Amino acid sequence: MPKILIVGGGYAGFYTAWKLEKWLRNGEAEVTVVDPLPYMTYQPFLPEIASGSIEPRHAVVALRRHLKKTTIIAGKVEKITHADKTVTIHPNIGEDYEVEYDTIVVTAGSVSRTFPIPGVADEAIGLKTIEEAVAIRDRILTNFDKASQLPEGPERDRLLTFVVVGGGFAGIEIFAEIRSFASALLDSYPELAFEDTHFHLIEAMGRIMPEVSLKTAGWVIKNLAERGAQIHLDTQLKSAVGGVVELSTGESFESDTIVWTAGVMASPMLKNTDLPIEERGRLRLQADLRVVGDDGIVPDAWGAGDVSAVPDLSGGGVGGFCVPNAQHAVRQGKQLAKNIVAELRGEDVKDYFHKNAGAVAGLGLGVGAFQSGKIGITGFPAWVMHRGYHGLAMPSWERKIRVIGNWAFNLVLGRDIASLEARVHPRAAFEEFASRPRPAAPAAAAPAAPAVGAGTPGPAGAPVPVGGAVSKE
């Protein structure tokens, strides 16, 4: 059978494999997905995970549970040599090895794009993975616990100062969600007041959320200001060394939680491939999702998602390409599966086309923003639209039920506010109290050697002093 190898199990990779399982006939092709993680993360839910509105495991889709006919390899693709149709895999355990394929699908996704700002690599945390969202949630809860035991002063201010860098959709959503989360936590911490919490969003441009109108963006800024959150426009982060945030405006303050959401870039894995890459480091594709080089289509090579430069035929993309978001990645994965099946059967492939129907953001419980063309909706109706859209967009009914059920229980019971930051060192308690073998008793001292004659070699072969005297110790 033809061997189809999918590099990456994110949105595009998962949906490609999922739909191939549905549309391929038995024995028509063999599909393999390579990813170091055993699950796909639904990233639009990361802000709500960080704010305690969604159980983390409900926002991931286990590959092995939902890809029944697909071979799953837990590891990273380190190199693609399409000339030989081989990939080098670095497994999660064991030595590197090569795998051959007939058709390759590159859906390796993206990583956080950072700049060489002092302190960012050491102090900040991104928002691309489920682990990062959980860590942000636990950091907020742990900091509230610590701050409640401290008097007013710089140490408490640092614990209760939260900074987000980047004013795009991801930045605004996480900023608004954790502001909402912190406000709700105050009911459980009578030692703290609303004025003790400080929220700062830093955006280098003169506006936030370029996907929405200026009117809608202005409403979001005003709403957040009324909730005690400050947005710094036309401002750059100059340094974050030691948690001391220094801005281009000259303002400075300390923070124990710095979240970086200032853009993404294609997976660096593409540096180790002979497939054509464009100037921004993305895989070069044509509209039907086939890889294309200077000499035309590269046979048996496809791509989709954030790792690829996919032409946006609707005319709404930045620079003529689809923006890197879940909305495109999911739809590209579905179209990609259809095209692969069509090519296997000698049928025509179709171009990917999706006209953006709008953008919707959740800004904390009961608050949202929606934009479609000139139509902007804000407040509670937009929040309902946000939850409705993403609740239905979550892959599989099993996951939909878990997420929507989570929301329903939270509506009645409230958010869970237990920090599990101790999970980072899960053996700490066991190690502290575990019994250990007693140290071995010291060996008895060896008896002194008897006197020997002059010039007779001692135990080490060296002559001893004349007279046979033995030194005392």
Side-chain angles (χ1 to χ4, degrees):
M1 291 187 292
K3 296 179 180 180
I4 302 171
L5 183 72
I6 300 174
V7 181
Y11 296 122
F14 172 79
Y15 271 91
T16 300
W18 203 25
K19 296 305 178 182
L20 283 174
E21 287 195 351
K22 179 180 179 181
W23 295 325
L24 285 172
R25 304 186 187 106
N26 289 334
E28 193 169 10
E30 177 184 320
V31 182
T32 299
V33 173
V34 184
D35 196 287
L37 297 175
Y39 50 78
M40 183 214 84
T41 301
Y42 190 73
Q43 293 184 9
F45 283 155
L46 294 183
E48 288 199 66
I49 291 169
S51 65
S53 293
I54 292 179
E55 166 62 31
R57 282 187 176 84
H58 295 173
V60 298
V61 179
L63 300 181
R64 294 183 183 275
R65 176 166 185 171
H66 294 279
L67 299 179
K68 301 291 188 181
K69 304 175 184 178
T70 302
T71 300
I72 309 296
I73 296 179
K76 294 181 180 179
V77 170
E78 297 284 357
K79 184 179 181 180
I80 300 174
T81 308
H82 192 62
D84 299 330
K85 290 194 172 180
T86 62
V87 297
T88 301
I89 295 177
H90 179 69
N92 290 355
I93 185 170
E95 301 294 327
D96 291 4
Y97 61 94
E98 289 190 349
V99 170
E100 296 181 349
Y101 62 83
D102 296 297
T103 298
I104 193 163
V105 177
V106 183
T107 54
S110 60
V111 298
S112 295
R113 180 192 63 185
T114 57
F115 306 103
I117 300 172
V120 166
D122 300 316
E123 302 292 338
I125 185 171
L127 191 67
K128 285 287 293 176
T129 68
I130 200 84
E131 294 81 6
E132 289 172 326
V134 172
I136 293 169
R137 173 186 178 275
D138 286 343
R139 173 67 62 85
I140 293 170
L141 291 168
T142 300
N143 282 8
F144 265 73
D145 284 336
K146 292 177 180 178
S148 66
Q149 303 174 56
L150 295 173
E152 292 185 18
E155 188 176 359
R156 190 169 80 170
D157 287 342
R158 178 186 172 107
L159 290 170
L160 297 179
T161 297
F162 305 94
V163 177
V164 174
V165 184
F169 249 69
I172 289 296
E173 285 194 302
I174 183 65
F175 187 60
E177 286 286 353
I178 62 176
R179 172 67 272 185
S180 173
F181 188 32
S183 297
L185 284 176
L186 291 171
D187 291 338
S188 302
Y189 291 88
E191 305 90 344
L192 303 175
F194 181 85
E195 295 74 20
D196 295 327
T197 61
H198 313 283
F199 283 78
H200 300 270
L201 183 137
I202 304 164
E203 171 53 49
M205 296 176 61
R207 61 162 300 174
I208 61 169
M209 303 171 72
E211 299 89 345
V212 305
S213 67
L214 286 172
K215 180 180 179 181
T216 301
W219 182 91
V220 172
I221 293 174
K222 180 181 178 183
N223 176 268
L224 286 169
E226 292 172 348
R227 292 158 58 185
Q230 185 177 357
I231 294 179
H232 305 261
L233 298 178
D234 294 313
T235 304
Q236 295 180 353
L237 176 65
K238 304 297 288 185
S239 175
V241 175
V244 179
V245 176
E246 297 180 8
L247 307 181
S248 58
T249 57
E251 189 175 357
S252 177
F253 45 84
E254 293 190 34
S255 173
D256 199 49
T257 308
I258 302 171
V259 182
W260 180 275
T261 64
V264 297
M265 65 180 185
S267 170
M269 183 277 299
L270 284 184
K271 296 177 181 178
N272 298 319
T273 176
D274 56 357
L275 294 171
I277 308 300
E278 47 96 73
E279 61 274 9
R280 294 186 61 185
R282 299 175 297 179
L283 192 65
R284 288 177 59 185
L285 300 184
Q286 58 184 31
D288 60 11
L289 305 176
R290 288 186 284 191
V291 177
V292 61
D294 295 336
D295 299 325
I297 294 172
V298 178
D300 304 319
W302 304 76
D306 293 2
V307 78
S308 304
V310 181
D312 190 342
L313 301 183
S314 73
V318 178
F321 298 100
C322 296
V323 296
N325 61 22
Q327 189 176 146
H328 280 302
V330 168
R331 288 171 172 81
Q332 288 169 11
K334 294 177 181 178
Q335 185 62 55
L336 180 51
K338 289 181 180 179
N339 285 352
I340 291 174
V341 172
E343 186 176 63
L344 285 172
R345 298 172 183 171
E347 301 170 358
D348 293 335
V349 300
K350 295 182 179 180
D351 289 344
Y352 170 74
F353 178 87
H354 173 66
K355 187 173 180 61
N356 193 352
V360 62
L363 305 174
L365 287 179
V367 186
F370 169 80
Q371 188 74 46
S372 179
K374 296 182 179 180
I375 300 174
I377 301 174
T378 55
F380 183 76
W383 177 75
V384 174
M385 294 169 68
H386 172 268
R387 287 212 159 174
Y389 172 78
H390 286 296
L392 294 175
M394 185 71 185
S396 84
W397 280 104
E398 177 254 339
R399 292 286 113 172
K400 288 179 173 64
I401 292 170
R402 289 183 188 275
V403 169
I404 295 172
N406 201 161
W407 285 334
F409 280 121
N410 282 353
L411 184 65
V412 177
L413 304 175
R415 288 184 271 207
D416 195 322
I417 62 169
S419 170
L420 298 178
E421 194 166 41
R423 81 196 185 287
V424 178
H425 304 289
R427 296 186 68 249
F430 180 83
E431 289 179 347
E432 181 180 357
F433 301 108
S435 297
R436 290 176 170 81
R438 292 182 179 180
V452 294
T456 303
V464 298
V466 177
V470 178
S471 62
K472 296 181 180 179
E473 295 186 359

